[in-house]
Amino acid sequence: MAMTVGDFIVERLYQWGVRRIYGYPGDGINGVFGALNRADGKIRFIQARHEEMAAFMAAADAKFSGQLGVCIATSGPGATHLLTGLYDARMDHMPVLAITGQQARTALGGHYQQELDLVSVFKDVAGAFVQQASAPAQVRHLVDRAIRTAIGERRVTAIILPNDLQEAEYTEPQHKHGTVHSGIGYSRPRVVPYEEDLQRAAEVLNSGKKVAILVGAGALNAGDEVFEVAQKLGAGVAKALLGKAVLPDDLPWVTGSIGLLGTVPSYKMMEECDTLLMIGSGFPYSEFLPQEGKARGVQIDIQPDMLSLRYPMEVNLVGDAAETLRALLPLLEDKQERSWRATIEDWRSDWDRTLEKRAMVSAKPINPQRVVYELSPRLPERAIVTCDSGSCANWYARDLKIRRGMSCSLSGGLASMGAAVPYAIAAKFAHPDRPVVGLVGDGAMQMSNLAELITVAKYWHEWANPQWVLAVFNNQDLNQVTWEQRVMEGDPKFEASQDIPDVPYHAFANSIGLTGVLIEREEDVAPAWEQALAAERPVLLEFRTDPDVPPLPPHISLEQAKQFASTLLQGDPDQRGILAQTAKQLFGALLPGKRKDN
C-alpha cells in the first residue's frame, strides 16, 4: 500500500519526538486517524470527551513534560472547540501544535457543510504559524516548520488538512523551482546577555539593601540558580502563580504568591524593597509591585516583549533564566548585612500562623481553606498538583506548600475555568509514575470537567501509579465571581447568575468505576486525604464547603472596603454568613490560639 499523506504526517511527527496526541475524531480528520491506527502505537492517541479539553491536555502536557503538546480535531466545530485550550497555551507561552481537518479541496468556497475559513479562525491564537495544506509535496515543510516554530518560539501553531488530501498518495517535493525541502531537528540555543549588561545588572543588585525577587514560569528550570542568587543578596523570593514550583516553600524567606491571591509577606516585601529582580514572570498586576521610582529594577526574560512591561526596569536582560543567573552569580557580592532577610522571615513566620488560624476557623459545613491546608503536609513526594480558576485558586496559592521535586500549574494568563481536570489527566500521561492531585470548584465541574472523569475511568488502569485524586469544592456558588461582585463592584450576590445546582459528584465517580467520597464535617477532611492518597484507584473527594468564607486579598484597599460596605448596605442574600465568616477570618487570626500539630 502506498504511503498516504496521513501516513507521512504521523511518521514525521514521530521523527520529531511526538509520542502522544490528545483529541477527538470526526470524518474531517479520518485520513490521519487511519494513519495513526496503521502506525501500531508509535504515537499514542488519547481520546478526550471534548476538543476543548484535548487542547487543555496538550497545553498541560507541554507544561509538565517540557516537550511539544499536540492536539487533533475534525473540521468545523471540532476545530473551533479547540480554541479555548489553545489560548491557554498561547497565553502561558507553551509549545502546542493543533492539527485539524477541513472539507475537500474541491468543495472549498462552495458554502459546504462544516466549511469554515480555519486559517482566519486560528490566525490569532496560532499567529506564529498557521497554514492550510493544498498538495502532498507541501505537507513535509508544513509539519517541520509548524513544530520548529512551536518549540523554538514557545508558541501555538496549526496545520489544516483537507480530508481528501489526507488520503492522497504522498509524494516528496521535486527538485525544481517553487518547492521547499525542509528537515527535522531543533536544538535550543544558549541565550545569555553580554558581559557589560550583566555588569550593569550586578551593580544595581549589589547596591540594593532590600532586594526582592519575583519568579515566574520562566524560572521553573532555574530553581538552584534562584536559590544561590537569593542567598548571596539576602533577598526574599515571591512567586507568581505559574512560578509556584520554582522554590520549595519550606525556605523561610520564600514569601509565597503575589497579587490578589497572594500573601501578606509578599505584599510587604514589594512595598518596602529598594531593589527588584524579576525572573521569567509576566505577572500582570502592577499595583502589587513597588511603586514606580521607589525601587531599582533588573529583569531577566527570554522574550524581549515581556521586559519592562509591568515595572520600568533599569536593566533588561534577554536570556534563559538559569544560564543568565549562572553568568550573573560571580558578579554578585555576598551581602553580610542580613536584617532585611530577618525581617522577611519574621513576616513569613507571622503569616504561617495566620494561615493556620484562618484554616482552622469553623465554617458551615467546611472551611474551604482547610481542605488545601490539610492536603499540603500530606502531599506525596514528587506530586503534581493542578488547580482550576475560581475561589479554589486562592487556597492553592496560599495554603499549598510545595516541596522540592513537586510540580504544579493552572491556567495562568487565560485564567480559564475547566482546566484542572484535563491538566491532571495530561500530567498522568506525561508522568504515569507520579501522584497527581487536582483542585476544582463545582462550577468548573458542571461546565466541562465532570465528563472528563470518564476519560480517567477509560485510561487509569494503564497508569504505573494509580494515585490520582480530585478534590471538588461543592458550595453551589460561582464563588470567586460572587466575591468579586461584592468587593470590586459593591453589588450583592446576584443569585440568578451565581447559584448553581447541587450535584452528587462523588456518586457519579462511583457510578463509572472510580472511588467517590463525600466529606461534610471538618474533622473528616484530613482522614479523607489520607484515605484517598493511599487508594489503589483514582478518587474524587467531594467537600461540602462554605461559600461565605472570604478569599481575602493580602491588602484591602479603601475602595474595596467601601464597595464591600455598599454591598452590605444594599443587603446580600448571604449577609449573615459573610459577616460572620469575614469577622472570623479578619479577627480570629489575631486572637491567641492553640497551635495545631501537623
Side-chain angles (χ1 to χ4, degrees), residues 19 40-41 113 131 147 171 179 192 239-240 244 256 270 277 284 360 365 381 422 482 497 517 574:
R19 298 296 182 267
D40 294 326
Q113 185 184 40
Q131 292 289 330
I147 293 177
T171 57
T179 61
V192 183
K239 302 188 285 189
K244 189 172 176 66
M270 292 296 161
L277 172 58
M360 293 302 125
E381 297 302 316
T482 296
S497 75
V517 182
D574 298 331

Side-chain angles (χ1 to χ4, degrees), residues 46 74 156 183 273 275 305 337 339 358 396 468 488 529 561:
I46 297 148
T74 188
V156 174
C273 71
T275 309
D305 63 347
E337 169 57 47
S339 59
R358 286 183 178 178
Y396 163 88
W468 191 95
M488 295 183 178
W529 279 120

Side-chain angles (χ1 to χ4, degrees), residues 10-55:
V10 170
E11 179 60 28
R12 201 70 168 182
L13 291 171
Y14 180 80
Q15 291 171 2
W16 270 100
V18 174
R19 298 296 182 267
R20 291 177 298 277
I21 298 179
Y22 303 90
Y24 204 79
D27 63 351
I29 197 68
N30 274 348
V32 175
F33 273 79
L36 283 167
N37 191 28
R38 290 189 293 273
D40 294 326
K42 290 176 76 172
I43 297 179
R44 178 72 186 279
F45 173 70
I46 297 148
Q47 182 198 73
R49 313 274 64 75
H50 191 285
E51 294 91 349
E52 179 184 324
M53 300 294 100

Side-chain angles (χ1 to χ4, degrees), residues 268-284:
K268 287 182 176 179
M269 183 172 69
M270 292 296 161
E271 193 175 43
E272 297 190 19
C273 71
D274 62 17
T275 309
L276 172 63
L277 172 58
M278 197 167 172
I279 307 167
S281 176
F283 172 72

